[in-house]
Amino acid sequence: MPKTYSGSCHCGLIKFEVSADIDHLRECNCSICIRRGALNFRVPEENLTVLTPLENAVLYQWGSETAEDYFCPKCGILPFRKSSQLTKAEIEAGKAPFTGWAVNARCLSGLNISEIPIVKIDGASL
Ligand SMILES: [Zn+2]
C-alpha cells in the first residue's frame, strides 16, 4: 500500500508530498549521484506534489540536458529529479522509458532509511 510522505529541502524553501510504496532505494554511481550520495526511489509523475512554487528550486542540467535536477538555491539540497531520457540505442534495445520522479529518500520525514533494502544502480555505465 502506498503511503504519503512529507518531504522538504533543509531550509524549507522546497516542500513536497509524495505517495509511494518504498520497497527499495536506489544507490547510483553516475557522476552526479555519487557526488551527492543520494538514495532515491522512483514514483510516477502524478505521485509527487510540490507544495511550494517549483520556481523556488534551481534546475540543473548538463550533458544531454534531458535529466532535470532540482535543487534549493538557499540550502543546496536536491529533493527530487527527473532522469535522463533514453538514448536512441536504449530505445532500440527495447528499454522502457521512465517519465516519473526520482525522489531523494533522505528528504522525507518519518522514513527509516536503515530498514529499506538498497539496490545498486550502475548509472555510470549508462
Ligand atoms: Zn532549502
Side-chain angles (χ1 to χ4, degrees):
M1 269 293 280
K3 263 179 75 174
T4 300
Y5 297 92
S6 300
S8 68
C9 66
H10 187 259
C11 73
L13 199 59
I14 304 170
K15 292 193 172 87
F16 62 95
E17 269 183 4
V18 63
S19 166
D21 184 4
I22 306 173
D23 58 357
H24 70 281
L25 296 172
R26 298 162 61 91
E27 182 186 314
C28 174
N29 64 355
C30 82
S31 61
I32 191 160
C33 289
I34 203 163
R35 282 171 169 78
R36 180 153 75 213
L39 288 173
N40 291 334
F41 60 94
R42 286 179 159 190
V43 292
E45 194 162 18
E46 63 272 15
N47 285 32
L48 180 88
T49 307
V50 186
L51 303 171
T52 46
L54 192 57
E55 304 76 63
N56 284 6
V58 173
L59 174 61
Y60 173 60
Q61 293 188 288
W62 79 102
S64 69
E65 304 220 345
T66 59
E68 298 174 10
D69 283 87
Y70 291 93
F71 71 92
C72 174
K74 193 170 175 195
C75 69
I77 300 300
L78 187 149
F80 42 76
R81 71 187 304 265
K82 284 203 168 174
S83 346
S84 309
Q85 284 161 25
L86 296 180
T87 60
K88 201 162 168 263
E90 287 170 329
I91 293 166
E92 282 167 7
K95 206 173 163 199
F98 176 73
T99 56
W101 293 99
V103 181
N104 181 350
R106 298 187 193 275
C107 289
L108 302 190
S109 51
L111 181 70
N112 189 348
I113 285 176
S114 64
E115 292 172 350
I116 304 172
I118 290 172
V119 176
K120 290 189 188 293
I121 306 291
D122 190 13
S125 59
L126 294 179

